[in-house]
């Protein structure tokens, strides 16, 4: 097996590209695919500040690494969810990576700052753990980015994630979600721009990327992920991909090219009439936002004014004073009491990828 570019021995085959790559050219391919996504969807410019949502998993560490290699100003934000050993270990990987790269990592602990953890809080609030977790992540990443003066929040969603979310949304014809399943959600009053620079790269490639770059990441799956539908959708698409190379790519990018615009009117209509939450100031369609309601039901602590001053303390001197501007909010796709976990929040490691942590050669199907 030889590298398509230099004819040296290859370490990975990528069937949807019908090609094999050596380590150097594989890393270059990953960077090129991210550059292509950034340019095609106008995700970020070099003078903008980016906050990367870091979980300690392969995708979020890889996207952070690639953005830094490409010269973007990227800091990380790690959210401690209080999920026992899993949180302890994933936080350690995030810290190790930041130290190795000399990068800035901001940490927020849900139990310390808000007085609840995901396993107990979700039980008390009578929500599925992933639903409470996803809601907390979306809220805190948005708020932290705005308080910290970041232009963009980047997440590690890869092609497998996006294809699986699309599959789930189509399966249940959730048309209001389909209209906003995009690699970029533009900034609106009260919300930062959100970008997914890994949409052109698959899960297996991201595991191999971390191995080749020597990035250690948490391989174990979150213990709360059990029974999550998103994992089933991923496995179904991976089975299709096995006999039809490129199926995930054409499913997702075909949707973006040919179908996504048809659902946008409905998605926009769904986002009207938001006002600031009376507890934390975030835009919401109800008087108190979904996150603050969750904090209350989970038995946690709410901020004591209409502005969450805890975020000021985390960002210290970096705080920009205009996180929530006056005027009508254009809408918040995330401020909803979704009964189901948001599959896009997950970064599960598929079973067949675990061995690739040490040897990218094993990553071949
Ligand atoms: S961390 Fe949170 Fe995921 Fe765990 S509780 Fe569910 S959403 S599974 S990546
Ligand atoms: Zn090569
Ligand atoms: Zn609130």
């Amino acid at each position: 097996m030889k590298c398509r570019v230099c004819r040296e021995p290859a370490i990975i085959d990528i069937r949807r590209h019908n090609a094999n790559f050596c380590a150097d050219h594989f890393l270059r391919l990953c960077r090129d695919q991210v550059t292509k996504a950034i340019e095609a969807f106008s995700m970020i410019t070099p003078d903008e500040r980016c906050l990367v949502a870091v979980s300690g998993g392969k995708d979020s560490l890889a996207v952070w690494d690639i953005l830094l290699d490409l010269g973007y100003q990227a800091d990380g934000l790690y959210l401690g969810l209080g999920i026992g050993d899993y949180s302890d270990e994933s936080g350690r990987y995030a810290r190790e990576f930041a130290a190795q790269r000399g990068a800035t990592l901001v940490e927020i602990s849900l139990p310390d700052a808000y007085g609840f953890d995901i396993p107990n809080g979700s039980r008390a609030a009578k929500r599925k753990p992933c639903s409470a977790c996803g809601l907390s992540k979306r809220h805190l990443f948005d708020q932290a980015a705005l308080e910290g003066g970041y232009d963009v929040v980047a997440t590690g969603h890869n092609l497998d994630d996006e294809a699986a979310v699309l599959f789930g949304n189509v399966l249940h014809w959730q048309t209001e979600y389909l209209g906003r399943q995009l690699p970029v959600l533009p900034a609106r009053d009260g919300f930062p721009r959100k970008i997914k620079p890994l949409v052109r790269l698959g899960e297996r490639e991201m595991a191999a990327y971390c191995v080749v770059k020597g990035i250690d990441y948490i391989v174990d799956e979150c213990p709360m992920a059990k029974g999550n539908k998103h994992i089933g959708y991923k496995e179904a698409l991976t089975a299709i991909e096995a006999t039809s190379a490129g199926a995930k790519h054409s499913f997702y990018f075909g949707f973006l090219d040919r179908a996504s615009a048809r659902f946008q009117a409905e998605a926009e209509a769904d986002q009207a009439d938001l006002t600031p939450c009376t507890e934390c100031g975030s835009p919401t369609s109800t008087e108190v936002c979904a996150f603050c309601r969750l904090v209350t039901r989970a038995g946690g602590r709410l901020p004591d004014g209409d502005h969450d001053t805890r975020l000021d303390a985390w960002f210290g001197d970096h705080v920009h004073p205009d996180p929530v501007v006056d005027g009508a909010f254009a809408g918040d796709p995330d401020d909803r009491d979704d009964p189901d976990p948001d599959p896009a929040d997950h970064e599960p490691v598929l079973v067949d990828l675990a061995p690739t942590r040490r040897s990218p050669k094993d990553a071949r199907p």
Side-chain angles (χ1 to χ4, degrees), residues 23-24 29 43 54 66 71 79 82 89 107-108 122 146 151 154 156 238 248 252 255 271 276 279 284 310 314 331 353:
D24 285 350
L29 171 99
M43 291 185 177
V54 178
I66 294 173
L79 184 58
E89 205 188 330
E107 290 192 53
I108 298 176
S122 60
L146 291 165
D151 304 284
T238 297
K248 291 176 192 174
Y252 178 61
F255 163 77
Q271 294 175 5
E279 298 290 350
T284 174
R310 283 168 287 203
W314 287 314
L353 279 174

Side-chain angles (χ1 to χ4, degrees), residues 212-328:
V212 174
K213 277 287 233 111
I215 297 171
D216 259 343
Y217 60 89
I218 186 156
V219 174
D220 293 338
E221 200 171 272
C222 170
M224 310 261 106
K226 212 167 154 234
N228 188 284
K229 287 185 219 152
H230 180 60
I231 295 175
Y233 300 152
K234 261 192 180 179
E235 287 170 348
L237 286 172
T238 297
I240 294 170
E241 181 85 20
T243 54
S244 176
K248 291 176 192 174
H249 181 97
S250 66
F251 179 49
Y252 178 61
F253 284 94
F255 163 77
L256 292 181
D257 285 346
R258 294 191 230 151
S260 147
R262 296 171 194 236
F263 299 101
Q264 253 143 43
E266 188 177 347
E268 277 160 26
D270 201 39
Q271 294 175 5
D273 298 333
L274 298 187
T275 52
C277 167
T278 52
E279 298 290 350
C280 72
S282 289
T284 174
S285 56
T286 47
E287 193 184 333
V288 176
C289 78
F291 176 70
C292 289
R293 278 184 278 135
L294 169 69
V295 174
T296 305
R297 291 210 299 258
R301 293 188 300 275
L302 282 169
D304 43 14
D306 61 357
H307 170 68
D308 196 340
T309 48
R310 283 168 287 203
L311 292 164
D312 296 348
W314 287 314
F315 287 103
D317 295 342
H318 300 300
V319 170
H320 288 221
D322 55 348
V324 177
V325 297
D326 292 332

Side-chain angles (χ1 to χ4, degrees), residues 2-10 20-26:
K2 291 199 162 96
C3 172
R4 176 166 83 181
V5 185
C6 68
R7 311 308 298 165
E8 291 294 314
N20 311 316
F21 297 92
C22 70
D24 285 350
H25 287 114
F26 172 64

Side-chain angles (χ1 to χ4, degrees), residues 33-239:
Q33 292 296 325
V34 168
T35 301
K36 207 167 167 180
I38 287 174
E39 288 174 0
F41 299 105
S42 306
M43 291 185 177
I44 183 171
T45 58
D47 57 332
E48 290 182 313
R49 293 180 66 225
C50 175
L51 189 64
V52 181
V54 178
S55 69
K58 63 189 185 320
D59 301 304
S60 59
L61 293 180
V63 74
W64 194 6
D65 190 66
I66 294 173
L67 287 172
L68 288 170
D69 279 351
L70 292 174
Y72 290 99
Q73 306 173 53
D75 295 342
L77 172 58
Y78 174 78
L79 184 58
L81 302 165
I83 308 177
D85 294 347
Y86 174 77
S87 287
D88 297 342
E89 205 188 330
S90 55
R92 216 164 32 241
Y93 285 113
R95 270 172 237 124
E96 262 171 31
F97 176 83
Q100 270 168 15
R101 290 264 356 196
T104 300
L105 179 70
V106 178
E107 290 192 53
I108 298 176
S109 158
L110 207 55
D112 292 350
Y114 292 91
F116 73 99
D117 59 37
I118 293 300
N120 294 312
S122 60
R123 207 174 304 123
K126 296 191 171 42
R127 286 183 80 132
K128 289 182 188 169
C130 293
S131 168
C133 181
L135 169 60
S136 303
K137 285 188 206 168
R138 290 190 294 273
H139 177 89
L140 290 169
F141 284 128
D142 282 354
Q143 261 206 336
L146 291 165
E147 294 276 343
Y150 293 90
D151 304 284
V152 181
V153 170
T155 56
H157 296 108
N158 59 40
L159 175 60
D160 291 59
D161 294 318
E162 293 306 291
V165 172
L166 177 60
F167 188 68
N169 285 338
V170 169
L171 205 58
H172 301 291
W173 288 114
Q174 287 177 305
T175 48
E176 76 281 17
Y177 290 157
L178 286 172
R180 57 171 190 266
Q181 203 196 327
L182 301 165
V184 176
L185 283 178
R188 298 178 310 271
D189 294 346
F191 295 99
R193 186 185 329 141
K194 292 177 198 166
I195 65 171
K196 299 172 183 174
L198 299 185
V199 283
R200 298 187 60 85
L201 290 160
E203 183 147 308
R204 180 170 158 270
E205 284 121 69
M206 295 339 295
Y209 178 90
C210 287
V211 175
V212 174
K213 277 287 233 111
I215 297 171
D216 259 343
Y217 60 89
I218 186 156
V219 174
D220 293 338
E221 200 171 272
C222 170
M224 310 261 106
K226 212 167 154 234
N228 188 284
K229 287 185 219 152
H230 180 60
I231 295 175
Y233 300 152
K234 261 192 180 179
E235 287 170 348
L237 286 172
T238 297

